[in-house]
Amino acid sequence: MSPAWSTGEYLLLLGGMGLVTYLPRALPLLVLSRRRLPEGLVAWLGLIPAALLAALVVPSLLASPEPRALDLARRELWVALPTLAVAWKTRSLGGTVVAGMLLYWLAGVLG
């Protein structure tokens, strides 16, 4: 049985996927790299990583998987709180990761 697509078609598809992936990233860099952005826009853009991280992490800390419901007794939540304190105090990514892993392990052993 022969493949439905030829090698050239696969390469064309791969190239097209790369183009649509990197073009939206490269165009703003090329257009905006030599312009001075307003301070308010720069401040707003600086808030995006923290907002995205919170949007990704907080639901998994506060809600049980299935069915989705608020669950304040989750181990992940109670481990995240001292880990956040370690991150706040040390401002070290490596130290925070190690502290979080140790606390999660300790919570598993104790609970």
Side-chain angles (χ1 to χ4, degrees):
M1 185 172 160
S2 65
W5 288 21
S6 69
T7 303
E9 289 171 330
Y10 277 116
L11 290 175
L12 186 62
L13 176 67
L14 193 62
M17 289 189 305
L19 187 67
V20 298
T21 299
Y22 289 107
L23 198 59
R25 296 174 184 174
L27 280 178
L29 287 175
L30 292 173
V31 171
L32 299 175
S33 65
R34 296 192 178 147
R35 292 185 178 183
R36 185 164 178 85
L37 298 175
E39 291 295 323
L41 179 61
V42 172
W44 181 77
L45 290 172
L47 298 174
I48 290 175
L52 287 175
L53 182 64
L56 291 172
V57 171
V58 170
S60 66
L61 292 177
L62 294 177
S64 59
E66 289 296 328
R68 274 300 222 205
L70 182 64
D71 183 6
L72 297 178
R74 292 180 54 83
R75 179 181 357 162
E76 291 85 357
L77 174 64
W78 293 104
V79 168
L81 295 175
T83 304
L84 181 63
V86 168
W88 195 287
K89 180 78 175 170
T90 65
R91 301 203 181 270
S92 165
L93 177 62
T96 302
V97 169
V98 170
M101 291 172 64
L102 287 174
L103 288 169
Y104 192 78
W105 171 78
L106 184 63
V109 169
L110 296 177

